């Protein structure tokens, strides 16, 4: 989300949505997510700075873009919880990893159960347990299917605003980022990924908004706030997603789970959050092309999706002609 103000109603710590979900989340989730984003903050900023070529300083002024980890839900996700206000449903969602473990473990046992039944050291209470194990597996499979039912997943994919974190830039105030630990913990459980990894993905995405908006180029120029605010979501979210993808790929050697979290979270996203996947597929100079296109396009103020795609194509052609040097009037 890249809101100019907190215009959307938030579901805070005392809201019905928060009261449904909070008891189901591990009690140490908030602290774990705080620790993860704090540890990743500096390296993420450096990676994004390198990839974009933009700095949050022009020598005379510096934009820190602080972040804070908050309790509660954004309007869209909190509204979704209240459309499905069933605590048992969300309890099952939070336990998907454990349910998956039952399925995997039961199948592993059943694969060799005939041999185990013949084993003279098999505990008496376990003898004849094949049917019970199969029944447990089948029950767990049915619960998995129920939780991952198309209506709920479809509803999540329809959300067209960031709900794990937000980048705020209200008029007359310094911008800031908020990271929402409750939906991060919930979605991480749903996707069977570490909440710490998804928190890092969230911070990378919101920093992507901040750097593409406020980052200074070599001339000290940034994206004018009014133009940034009114630019198409496919462009703004596409850029934030693109740099999240690039940065998490860079972290694979040290934190492989972060890129996995990015990829798995994409399966719950739609609309503008997938726009970047169509940008210059399989082009070896994709990152360079996006960077040059960002630098040139944002000087126009409001950037529409059609204009962005045309500029990407034109920049790609120029880079191919110049061998990716950025010379001959490219920027």
């Amino acid at each position: 989300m890249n809101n100019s103000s907190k215009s959307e109603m938030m579901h805070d710590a005392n809201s019905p949505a928060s009261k449904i979900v909070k008891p189901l989340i591990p009690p140490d989730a908030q602290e774990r997510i705080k620790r993860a984003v704090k540890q990743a903050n500096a390296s993420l900023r450096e990676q994004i700075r390198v990839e974009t070529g933009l700095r949050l300083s022009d020598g005379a002024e510096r934009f820190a873009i602080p972040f804070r980890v908050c309790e509660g839900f954004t309007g869209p996700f909190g509204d979704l919880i209240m459309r499905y206000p069933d605590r048992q449903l969300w309890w099952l969602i939070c336990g998907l990893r454990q349910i998956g473990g039952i399925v995997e473990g039961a199948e592993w046992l059943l694969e060799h159960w005939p041999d185990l039944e013949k084993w003279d050291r098999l505990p008496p209470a376990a003898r004849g347990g094949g049917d019970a194990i199969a029944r447990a597996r089948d029950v767990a499979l049915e619960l998995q299917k129920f939780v991952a039912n198309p209506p709920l997943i479809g509803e999540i994919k329809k959300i067209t605003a960031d709900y794990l974190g937000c980048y705020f830039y209200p008029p007359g105030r310094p911008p800031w980022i908020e990271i929402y630990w409750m939906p991060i913990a919930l979605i991480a459980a749903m996707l069977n990924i570490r909440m710490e990894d998804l928190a890092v993905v969230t911070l990378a995405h919101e920093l992507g908004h901040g750097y593409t908006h406020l980052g200074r180029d070599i001339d000290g120029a940034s994206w004018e706030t009014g133009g940034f605010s009114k630019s198409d979501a496919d462009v703004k979210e596409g850029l934030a997603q693109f740099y999240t993808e690039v940065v998490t790929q860079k972290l694979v050697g040290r934190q492989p789970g972060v890129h996995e979290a990015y990829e798995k979270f994409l399966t719950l996203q739609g609309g503008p959050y997938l726009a970047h996947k169509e940008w210059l597929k399989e082009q070896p100079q994709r990152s360079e092309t996006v960077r040059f296109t960002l630098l040139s396009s944002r000087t126009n103020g409001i950037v529409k999706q059609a204009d962005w795609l045309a500029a990407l194509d034109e920049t790609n052609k120029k880079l191919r002609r110049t061998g990716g040097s950025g010379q001959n009037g490219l920027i």
Side-chain angles (χ1 to χ4, degrees):
M1 182 184 299
N2 46 91
N3 288 339
S4 58
S5 67
K6 273 197 166 183
S7 57
E8 283 191 322
M9 183 185 75
M10 300 294 293
H11 294 258
D12 62 21
N14 296 315
S15 71
S18 295
K19 289 180 178 179
I20 288 172
V21 172
K22 186 176 180 180
L24 311 176
I25 294 173
D28 62 346
Q30 183 177 12
E31 186 56 39
R32 287 167 59 185
I33 288 170
K34 277 186 177 180
R35 185 165 55 248
V37 293
K38 182 179 180 180
Q39 291 175 347
N41 180 44
S43 62
L44 288 178
R45 290 173 189 254
E46 176 62 16
Q47 287 287 347
I48 294 173
R49 186 193 66 76
V50 169
E51 292 298 327
T52 61
L54 301 171
R55 297 176 179 273
L56 295 179
S57 172
D58 59 5
E61 188 175 16
R62 179 173 178 80
F63 299 89
I65 315 185
F67 72 87
R68 55 180 179 242
V69 176
C70 304
E71 189 164 308
F73 296 88
T74 62
F77 201 81
D79 294 343
L80 172 64
I81 292 171
M82 296 315 300
R83 287 198 296 274
Y84 296 87
D86 186 337
R87 186 182 296 271
Q88 295 300 329
L89 171 64
W90 295 105
W91 177 74
L92 288 171
I93 287 172
C94 289
L96 269 176
R97 178 177 299 181
Q98 290 87 339
I99 295 172
I102 293 171
V103 173
E104 184 177 349
E107 290 182 341
W108 178 77
L109 280 172
L110 289 170
E111 184 177 356
H112 298 284
W113 193 254
D115 292 332
L116 282 172
E117 281 282 14
K118 300 173 186 176
W119 186 34
D120 59 7
R121 297 183 65 184
L122 184 69
R127 294 199 178 277
D131 290 343
I133 295 171
R135 173 63 178 161
R137 177 203 58 193
D138 294 343
V139 168
L141 281 170
E142 288 302 312
L143 290 174
Q144 279 185 322
K145 292 176 185 177
F146 175 73
V147 172
N149 72 88
L152 180 58
I153 300 301
E155 291 262 11
I156 293 175
K157 287 184 176 182
K158 288 178 184 176
I159 298 177
T160 57
D162 294 7
Y163 56 87
L164 302 186
C166 293
Y167 168 61
F168 293 104
Y169 50 100
R173 291 184 58 189
W176 75 93
I177 289 169
E178 292 185 359
I179 305 294
Y180 304 111
W181 65 269
M182 291 173 66
I184 289 174
L186 188 63
I187 293 296
M190 179 181 288
L191 295 173
N192 194 20
I193 54 179
R194 294 175 69 249
M195 64 179 75
E196 291 91 341
D197 292 332
L198 187 56
V200 173
V201 170
T202 303
L203 181 59
H205 179 95
E206 302 309 332
L207 285 172
H209 282 314
Y211 270 80
T212 54
H213 171 210
L214 294 177
R216 265 46 178 177
D217 59 25
I218 58 174
D219 296 320
S222 62
W223 198 337
E224 185 267 324
T225 296
F228 176 77
S229 178
K230 296 176 182 178
S231 292
D232 284 353
D234 280 11
V235 178
K236 292 185 292 185
E237 296 299 345
L239 283 164
Q241 288 286 77
F242 175 81
Y243 285 114
T244 302
E245 176 184 328
V246 172
V247 167
T248 58
Q249 284 176 331
K250 300 281 187 183
L251 292 174
V252 165
R254 290 182 288 127
Q255 294 176 277
V258 174
H259 188 66
E260 179 189 4
Y262 160 78
E263 291 285 357
K264 285 192 172 183
F265 188 41
L266 278 181
T267 66
L268 290 182
Q269 296 179 289
Y273 297 96
L274 302 181
H276 67 297
K277 303 302 287 185
E278 301 301 317
W279 295 353
L280 308 170
K281 290 181 178 179
E282 309 302 325
Q283 289 288 334
Q285 58 195 20
R286 186 170 178 243
S287 292
E288 192 174 20
T289 302
V290 171
R291 179 165 64 89
F292 284 134
T293 306
L294 166 63
L295 294 176
S296 61
S297 294
R298 67 182 193 158
T299 61
N300 298 324
I302 300 174
V303 182
K304 298 296 183 182
Q305 169 73 345
D307 296 332
W308 170 260
L309 294 177
L312 269 179
D313 184 60
E314 182 61 27
T315 303
N316 187 49
K317 291 177 181 176
K318 288 182 179 179
L319 279 173
R320 292 172 65 182
R321 287 199 300 268
T322 61
S325 65
Q327 303 300 313
N328 300 328
L330 181 61
I331 57 173

